[in-house]
Amino acid sequence: LGLAAATGDQRYAEYAHAEFKATRDYLYDREQQLFYRDSRFFEQRDSDGRKLSWSGGNGWVFAGIARVLERLPASDPARTMYEELFKQMAAKLRAVQKPDGYWAPSLLAAPGTTPPESSGTGFFVYGMAWGIAAGLLDRTQYEPVVRRGWRALERAVQSDGMLGWVQQ
């Protein structure tokens, strides 16, 4: 998108949108409204039979969509695709946030069975806070989610200043 803006050549934006759409069409689980890490995970399940949806990977997507939308002109025909996906993911992420404010390393895991995880949590807090500020997410529904996530991230800062509970 940056090249399209810098050069005025919309072929760059069209290519980026087509590649994103192809990736979404391949890795996005429309039923769960989350992304698979890669095709090796299509059939994998946890010990309770739940699909595996990697927190960090979904975080990269969710925060990345926020960054795309931040730079994407309102007139771009692909904008609706990104906004709809962002809102779908936000709703699912809101629903799977753990009571302690973190998101699980595997997003669909039972909340009480997973350790804290700050990588995905940071991405999701960022994306939702951006979505509220941009007017895409309802403040009354999402601000409490962001605040719980922020408090979780504050608790992850260790006495030496290092951030804990980061995926390896």
Side-chain angles (χ1 to χ4, degrees):
L1 299 177
L3 282 174
T7 65
D9 188 341
Q10 287 306 301
R11 289 179 296 176
Y12 292 113
E14 292 164 6
Y15 179 78
H17 298 325
E19 289 299 303
F20 182 85
K21 184 180 181 304
T23 301
R24 181 209 60 196
D25 291 349
Y26 187 60
L27 294 176
Y28 186 62
D29 182 334
R30 291 182 189 279
E31 175 189 331
Q32 294 299 327
Q33 298 182 317
L34 296 168
F35 280 82
Y36 288 104
R37 182 182 177 275
D38 58 53
S39 61
R40 294 175 299 161
F41 287 79
F42 289 166
E43 302 304 322
Q44 290 188 30
R45 301 291 183 268
D46 68 13
S47 60
D48 293 320
R50 287 184 284 268
K51 293 179 180 180
L52 302 176
S53 293
W54 179 40
S55 182
N58 276 276
W60 280 108
V61 173
F62 189 65
I65 294 171
R67 302 272 302 184
V68 167
L69 287 168
E70 192 172 37
R71 291 161 179 74
L72 195 62
S75 61
D76 193 301
R79 187 172 185 90
T80 301
M81 171 185 69
Y82 292 103
E83 286 183 359
E84 288 175 0
L85 182 57
F86 183 80
K87 290 176 186 179
Q88 286 173 5
M89 288 186 73
K92 180 64 174 199
L93 294 167
R94 181 174 154 253
V96 299
Q97 184 182 35
K98 295 173 22 163
D100 64 5
Y102 290 100
W103 279 266
S106 181
L107 293 168
L108 302 175
T113 65
T114 62
E117 197 284 306
S118 60
S119 304
T121 299
F123 283 126
F124 302 140
V125 166
Y126 164 79
M128 288 185 195
W130 180 88
I132 292 166
L136 289 175
L137 300 178
D138 179 70
R139 181 176 298 276
T140 59
Q141 288 185 9
Y142 288 92
E143 186 173 345
V145 176
V146 169
R147 289 187 181 279
R148 276 192 307 275
W150 185 258
R151 285 191 300 271
L153 291 169
E154 287 178 324
R155 291 191 310 273
V157 178
Q158 300 170 1
S159 61
D160 62 0
M162 298 291 288
L163 184 64
W165 303 112
V166 178
Q167 285 189 8
Q168 298 298 323

